[in-house]
């Protein structure tokens, strides 16, 4: 039983360490990119779909900044408050059009509807950076567990 416990602790340590080390470089790159105000652009688009903070926006101008096959893209609104917008609404938003190819949606750090600010830039940017700093290891462990157990 003692050998099993030691083996379990050893494997758990390796598991958590494998989560931290390779992703630390990516985490640092993300924080560096998102901390630079010059990385953000202001766009306009039409809400196609919204589920909580996940939103799909039709935005033809996005292709000017990144290669994207469709004019609709999935975003995540970095707000701690409930944002009341409806599908079909025309919105102005600020995002960082850069993919890290790690499953993250493009961030929305400012959102306006009819000129009314629903999420201001400083709050949204701060929420984005904090989500990377403080919830990174939780996401990593969840993704590792999904990979291990091959959960779809």
């Amino acid at each position: 039983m003692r050998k099993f416990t030691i083996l379990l602790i050893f494997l758990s340590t390796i598991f958590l360490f494998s989560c931290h080390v390779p992703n630390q470089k990516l985490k640092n790159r993300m924080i560096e990119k998102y901390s630079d105000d010059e990385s953000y652009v202001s766009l306009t688009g039409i809400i196609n779909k919204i589920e909580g903070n996940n939103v799909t926006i039709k935005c033809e101008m996005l292709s000017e900044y990144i290669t994207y096959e469709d004019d609709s893209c999935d975003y995540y609104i970095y707000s701690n408050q409930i944002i009341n917008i409806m599908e079909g609404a025309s919105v102005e938003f600020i995002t960082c059009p850069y993919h890290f190819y790690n499953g993250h949606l493009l961030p929305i750090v400012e959102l306006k509807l009819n000129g009314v600010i629903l999420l201001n830039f400083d709050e949204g940017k701060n929420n984005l950076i904090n989500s990377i700093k403080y919830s990174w290891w939780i996401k990593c462990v969840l993704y590792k567990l999904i990979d291990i157990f091959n959960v779809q």
Side-chain angles (χ1 to χ4, degrees):
M1 183 68 179
R2 180 179 161 99
K3 287 182 180 180
F4 177 74
T5 304
I6 291 172
L7 180 63
L8 186 61
I9 291 171
F10 177 72
L11 290 175
S12 297
T13 304
I14 289 174
F15 174 76
L16 291 174
F17 188 70
S18 72
C19 243
H20 178 73
V21 173
N23 291 315
Q24 189 64 37
K25 288 182 181 180
L26 178 59
K27 175 182 167 181
N28 290 341
R29 282 184 44 226
M30 291 176 77
I31 291 172
E32 181 181 342
K33 181 74 170 177
Y34 292 142
S35 295
D36 182 7
D37 288 351
E38 298 296 316
S39 298
Y40 296 91
V41 297
S42 181
L43 302 171
T44 58
I46 298 173
I47 304 287
N48 286 346
K49 181 179 172 186
I50 185 160
E51 293 177 2
N53 285 27
N54 295 317
V55 62
T56 303
I57 299 177
K58 180 178 181 180
C59 176
E60 296 172 2
M61 298 183 311
L62 181 62
S63 63
E64 295 176 19
Y65 299 98
I66 60 174
T67 304
Y68 204 73
E69 296 176 5
D70 196 357
D71 59 355
S72 290
C73 185
D74 296 323
Y75 297 87
Y76 186 84
I77 303 170
Y78 280 88
S79 175
N80 293 332
Q81 309 298 320
I82 295 173
I83 303 281
N84 291 318
I85 50 177
M86 299 179 72
E87 292 178 9
S90 180
V91 293
E92 298 173 53
F93 60 99
I94 294 179
T95 187
C96 179
Y98 188 83
H99 277 292
F100 289 96
Y101 300 101
N102 63 345
H104 277 88
L105 302 177
L106 290 179
I108 291 181
V109 295
E110 182 175 282
L111 184 64
K112 293 180 188 177
L113 176 65
N114 298 325
V116 176
I117 297 174
L118 303 176
L119 172 65
N120 74 50
F121 178 78
D122 292 329
E123 178 186 349
K125 179 181 165 188
N126 191 39
N127 291 340
L128 168 60
I129 292 170
N130 284 337
S131 76
I132 295 168
K133 285 181 180 177
Y134 302 117
S135 66
W136 186 263
W137 71 273
I138 295 170
K139 292 176 187 173
C140 180
V141 169
L142 289 174
Y143 288 139
K144 289 277 187 188
L145 289 172
I146 289 169
D147 286 344
I148 289 171
F149 294 108
N150 208 10
V151 177
Q152 297 292 329

